[in-house]
Amino acid sequence: MGLVNDLLINIYKKMKMKIFLYIAIIFASLLLFTCCKQNKKENEKNLTNQSANDGVNKERSLTRIDALYYNYILESETPIKASDMKKEIPVFSEDKNGILDASITDSTKIKEIKDLLNDLKASEEETTPDTRMIFVLVYDDESKDTISLAEIYSDRIYFNGREQIRNNKLLFTLKNYIGFYPWLIGDDMFNMSELQDHSFPKPPFTSSRYYKEYQQALAGK
């Protein structure tokens, strides 16, 4: 009986060791699978960010930036497509609200904007822009990229249709160089996130030729 008991004990110990090894192997496999999956997600995220901003980083010479924008705060029940925006210059003696055009051609301003564009990072969100401003970047090889500023306060950035992480300095620079801010008053300016961001210096607001025409129309009344 003693030999039988010893044999059974040895068999039990061996089985116990095998079970322990199996559990260890399964645990290690699960851990390895989880790590690989996480690395794959990170790589896909990095590739997505890179591909979303490839157009910004290419060594092309940006010659001008053409813009189209609502010069007032517009609330809309349905998203506004960039393709639906057409230039509408109001009769300033009667009304100031319209869809205005602008063009940025100064080389210093263009370089500043391009440097800011190089810092853009694609957002993980996939959303449809409710457009209020369009900026068409025109390069020396005649290729183009598009920036859309969306939502009521034009504070969501889309590069070639892909949403980017908010960059308040870029928001301010684009809006200021087309002469957007002088059209605003009171709470509208307070609700602009970039104007409440004190992490970067802000030069004086720029006025567009349309705003000067509007001021002249007011003075003539």
Side-chain angles (χ1 to χ4, degrees):
M1 289 295 292
L3 290 174
V4 173
N5 287 337
D6 290 342
L7 181 61
L8 290 174
I9 290 171
N10 287 333
I11 293 173
Y12 173 75
K13 287 181 177 179
K14 288 180 180 180
M15 289 181 64
K16 188 176 180 181
M17 181 61 68
K18 285 183 179 180
I19 292 172
F20 175 78
L21 287 174
Y22 288 149
I23 292 174
I25 291 171
I26 292 171
F27 179 77
S29 299
L30 288 173
L31 184 62
L32 181 62
F33 175 77
T34 302
C35 291
C36 290
K37 190 174 182 181
Q38 184 65 31
N39 288 336
K40 183 179 179 182
K41 283 185 177 180
E42 288 296 325
N43 290 335
E44 288 176 349
K45 179 181 176 182
N46 291 335
L47 286 172
T48 299
N49 286 345
Q50 182 179 355
S51 62
N53 296 330
D54 274 347
V56 176
N57 296 323
K58 288 180 180 177
E59 291 300 325
R60 295 176 293 171
S61 178
L62 182 58
T63 57
R64 76 175 191 275
I65 301 173
D66 296 328
L68 203 61
Y69 65 100
Y70 288 91
N71 69 335
Y72 60 102
I73 303 302
L74 173 65
E75 297 187 30
S76 177
E77 294 182 357
T78 57
I80 298 172
K81 297 179 181 178
S83 58
D84 293 336
M85 290 181 60
K86 308 296 180 186
K87 183 168 71 171
E88 296 178 5
I89 309 301
V91 178
F92 290 122
S93 59
E94 300 174 2
D95 189 14
K96 74 178 183 67
N97 294 343
I99 302 177
L100 311 183
D101 63 311
S103 188
I104 303 171
T105 57
D106 181 86
S107 59
T108 302
K109 294 178 179 179
I110 287 176
K111 183 181 183 306
E112 181 183 359
I113 291 170
K114 189 172 183 182
D115 288 343
L116 290 170
L117 290 174
N118 286 333
D119 293 332
L120 282 180
K121 293 180 175 60
S123 170
E124 294 183 3
E125 297 182 53
E126 294 186 6
T127 56
T128 300
D130 184 9
T131 310
R132 298 296 186 276
M133 298 184 180
I134 308 166
F135 296 84
V136 179
L137 284 61
V138 183
Y139 298 91
D140 58 349
D141 61 359
E142 298 185 359
S143 61
K144 297 178 181 179
D145 287 319
T146 302
I147 299 171
S148 298
L149 301 187
E151 302 300 329
I152 296 175
Y153 296 107
S154 307
D155 54 4
R156 298 183 76 160
I157 303 170
Y158 291 78
F159 181 79
N160 289 339
R162 176 67 188 271
E163 185 167 4
Q164 308 292 304
I165 295 173
R166 180 175 296 178
N167 183 318
N168 280 334
K169 189 172 183 180
L170 176 62
L171 287 172
F172 175 82
T173 303
L174 288 172
K175 292 179 185 180
N176 192 35
Y177 284 162
I178 62 173
F180 173 68
Y181 291 116
W183 297 100
L184 304 180
I185 57 173
D187 290 342
D188 291 339
M189 299 190 76
F190 181 79
N191 288 321
M192 295 280 172
S193 62
E194 70 275 9
L195 296 181
Q196 308 308 316
D197 187 342
H198 303 294
S199 65
F200 60 93
K202 299 175 183 64
F205 292 155
T206 300
S207 295
S208 67
R209 63 184 179 90
Y210 290 122
Y211 187 74
K212 293 173 183 176
E213 291 176 11
Y214 170 64
Q215 292 289 84
Q216 291 172 357
L218 287 181
K221 284 187 176 181

